[in-house]
Amino acid sequence: AQSVTQLDSQVPVFEEAPVELRCNYSSSVSVYLFWYVQYPNQGLQLLLKYLSGSTLVKGINGFEAEFNKSQTSFHLRKPSVHISDTAEYFCAVTVSSNTGKLIFGQGTTLQVKP
Amino acid sequence: GAGVSQSPSNKVTEKGKDVELRCDPISGHTALYWYRQSLGQGLEFLIYFQGNSAPDKSGLPSDRFSAERTGGSVSTLTIQRTQQEDSAVYLCASSPSGPRNTFGSGTRLTVV
């Protein structure tokens, strides 16, 4: 079975500072990886995904993530955050490219302070 | 429509009552998913419909939960004899194929 661990439940950071949100997964088969963002009282919005190819994936809003198979990680990074990036971020995994049946991590709340 | 629509946005119900939650997927999306987001359990997969295939019900937590999708479009998630632990946000997503989910804003269910 697959599982996803987001190592930090909350990450406080000052505006314009860089940030990394950590995600590790466990799976005995190849996986496809995703990061979603959830703003208050809204649904999930896809930030980026890794299906194949380059291990460095660029997404919306200046975010990027790197798939590291040896470390089973898919950490999310942004070089300079804005107040508007304050939200909850979810890492997710699936073992099939044919389905959106996802297994999610517990989420990380990013708090950007002025 | 332009996005995935869920109704109601909020629902308060008494323990023991039945509730129905509705999801209108994006037109043309063949796959539809229900997830539950709760404080203790995070985001959990509940059920998945793909075209005319039998649904994947592997995430439904008990036989009080059921879902149907009529005409390959609208879906209804039904919870019978609601319990306080059913309080959560229920999210619906649809996809044209593969892991290309678009999520709705969810229904916040509170069981009192």
Side-chain angles (χ1 to χ4, degrees):
Chain A
Q2 296 75 43
S3 66
V4 179
T5 302
Q6 291 184 240
L7 297 163
D8 306 295
S9 60
Q10 293 189 9
V11 173
V13 64
F14 287 105
E15 193 173 19
E16 298 184 3
V19 71
E20 178 180 81
L21 305 184
R22 297 180 292 169
C23 173
N24 285 87
Y25 68 91
S26 173
S27 176
S28 58
V29 298
S30 296
V31 295
Y32 305 89
L33 296 152
F34 306 81
W35 275 100
Y36 285 86
V37 60
Q38 187 178 35
Y39 299 103
N41 300 315
Q42 295 188 25
L44 300 172
Q45 180 181 3
L46 180 67
L47 276 178
L48 48 79
K49 61 186 175 187
Y50 171 78
L51 300 181
S52 65
S54 173
T55 57
L56 182 62
V57 181
K58 294 188 183 298
I60 62 171
N61 300 341
F63 284 93
E64 64 179 32
E66 185 157 19
F67 171 53
N68 187 320
K69 188 174 181 180
S70 63
Q71 296 188 7
T72 61
S73 68
F74 191 55
H75 300 334
L76 181 71
R77 301 185 182 98
K78 186 169 182 177
S80 175
V81 295
H82 303 290
I83 296 288
S84 59
D85 292 323
T86 295
E88 190 156 18
Y89 292 79
F90 292 93
C91 182
V93 64
T94 180
V95 296
S96 169
S97 62
N98 295 322
T99 174
K101 178 181 175 182
L102 302 171
I103 297 167
F104 286 90
Q106 291 294 312
T108 297
T109 300
L110 176 63
Q111 301 164 320
V112 181
K113 304 176 181 180
Chain B
V4 177
S5 178
Q6 292 188 245
S7 60
S9 55
N10 283 282
K11 176 73 176 178
V12 180
T13 189
E14 292 181 352
K15 178 181 173 181
K17 300 283 191 183
D18 298 352
V19 294
E20 289 188 348
L21 313 180
R22 177 186 169 102
C23 174
D24 277 283
I26 294 173
S27 178
H29 281 196
T30 57
L32 187 147
Y33 306 83
W34 283 98
Y35 290 87
R36 178 170 71 173
Q37 185 174 21
S38 56
L39 282 177
Q41 302 298 324
L43 266 162
E44 306 170 276
F45 165 78
L46 296 177
I47 188 169
Y48 158 42
F49 297 89
Q50 174 63 61
N52 296 320
S53 302
D56 176 348
K57 304 179 182 180
S58 59
L60 294 179
S62 78
D63 58 7
R64 296 187 296 105
F65 288 72
S66 62
E68 62 177 21
R69 188 179 185 191
T70 53
S73 181
V74 172
S75 176
T76 302
L77 177 69
T78 301
I79 309 173
Q80 295 179 310
R81 305 181 302 281
T82 51
Q83 303 296 313
Q84 288 187 329
E85 61 262 29
D86 299 334
S87 295
V89 176
Y90 290 83
L91 291 169
C92 176
S94 69
S95 170
S97 64
R100 297 158 60 189
N101 298 359
T102 299
F103 283 83
S105 297
T107 293
R108 181 176 299 276
L109 175 66
T110 304
V111 181
V112 297

